[in-house]
């Protein structure tokens, strides 16, 4: 791998249910529902982790952190991100920048985005200017639009150390 940059893409979706906290980008957001899953179900952090692993051609999140492994039950996805950065660092790669989008009908996420960027940047050990988070609704369409799920997409650019 002699090229100076590598790019990766990530996607994740989780069902939205009652009785769960809503955690996005490491921020707990007040809402009547939360995302269902084995970990904290931080759909944004998972999409970013998959983009980082993909850029390094290291497989996917499920391979490295299987949801059948009790060590990862309830784990903060920010810890998973920190571990992923170690994995790519062992391959001689650094995070150049990340762009991401959360697809969620409700609640309004804009007020929480600065804190998401801060926490993600801290977990990734990079400057906040290197982390972009956007949010949009699904215009009422499909399961996301009906408020039954949230999804996230991310792209990551890595550079050689
Ligand atoms: Mg997930």
């Amino acid at each position: 791998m002699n090229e100076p940059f590598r790019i990766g893409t990530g996607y994740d979706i989780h069902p939205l249910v009652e009785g769960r906290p809503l955690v996005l980008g490491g921020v707990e957001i007040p809402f009547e529902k939360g995302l269902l899953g084995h970990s904290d179900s931080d759909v944004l952090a998972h999409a970013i982790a998959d983009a980082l692993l993909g850029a390094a051609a290291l497989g996917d999140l499920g391979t490295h952190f299987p949801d059948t492994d009790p060590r990862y039950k309830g784990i903060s996805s920010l810890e998973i991100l920190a571990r992923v950065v170690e994995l790519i660092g062992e391959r001689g790669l650094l995070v150049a920048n990340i762009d991401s989008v959360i697809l969620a009908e409700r609640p309004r996420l804009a007020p929480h985005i600065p804190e998401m960027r801060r926490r993600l940047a801290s977990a990734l050990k990079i400057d906040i200017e290197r982390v972009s988070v956007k949010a949009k609704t699904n215009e009422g369409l499909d399961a996301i639009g009906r408020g039954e799920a949230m999804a996230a997409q991310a792209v990551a650019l890595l550079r050689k150390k």
Side-chain angles (χ1 to χ4, degrees), residues 11-14 36-39 41-47 61 77:
Y11 169 80
D12 197 24
I13 184 165
H14 281 258
L36 183 64
H38 189 71
S39 65
S41 303
D42 186 335
V43 72
L44 175 60
H46 293 178
L61 197 57
S77 296

Side-chain angles (χ1 to χ4, degrees), residues 4 26 28 48 74 79 82 106 121 123 135 140 146 151:
E28 189 166 337
I48 291 172
E79 286 177 48
R106 282 194 318 124
R146 289 191 299 272

Side-chain angles (χ1 to χ4, degrees), residues 72-83:
Y72 305 125
K73 186 167 171 57
I75 189 177
S76 163
S77 296
L78 294 184
E79 286 177 48
I80 287 176
L81 274 182
R83 178 68 191 126

Side-chain angles (χ1 to χ4, degrees), residues 22-146:
L22 177 61
V23 181
L24 293 170
V27 179
E28 189 166 337
I29 293 164
F31 191 49
E32 70 260 23
K33 291 181 175 180
L35 296 171
L36 183 64
H38 189 71
S39 65
D40 60 8
S41 303
D42 186 335
V43 72
L44 175 60
H46 293 178
I48 291 172
D50 251 357
L52 294 167
L53 290 169
L58 286 173
D60 65 17
L61 197 57
T63 309
H64 290 276
F65 304 93
D67 61 10
T68 48
D69 189 328
R71 282 181 300 167
Y72 305 125
K73 186 167 171 57
I75 189 177
S76 163
S77 296
L78 294 184
E79 286 177 48
I80 287 176
L81 274 182
R83 178 68 191 126
V84 167
V85 168
E86 285 176 14
L87 287 171
I88 65 174
E90 288 163 11
R91 266 75 178 178
L93 294 162
L94 295 168
V95 182
N97 76 296
I98 285 162
D99 188 19
S100 63
V101 57
I102 307 165
L103 302 166
E105 208 63 20
R106 282 194 318 124
R108 212 172 97 75
L109 297 176
H112 304 287
I113 283 179
E115 185 62 18
M116 289 182 208
R117 290 178 65 212
R118 256 193 299 279
R119 293 194 188 190
L120 290 166
S122 167
L124 296 165
K125 297 188 177 66
I126 54 177
D127 201 82
I128 192 167
E129 274 72 42
R130 294 181 185 272
V131 183
S132 162
V133 176
K134 310 184 298 297
K136 68 193 303 311
T137 74
N138 223 29
E139 302 288 345
L141 297 169
D142 75 28
I144 294 169
R146 289 191 299 272

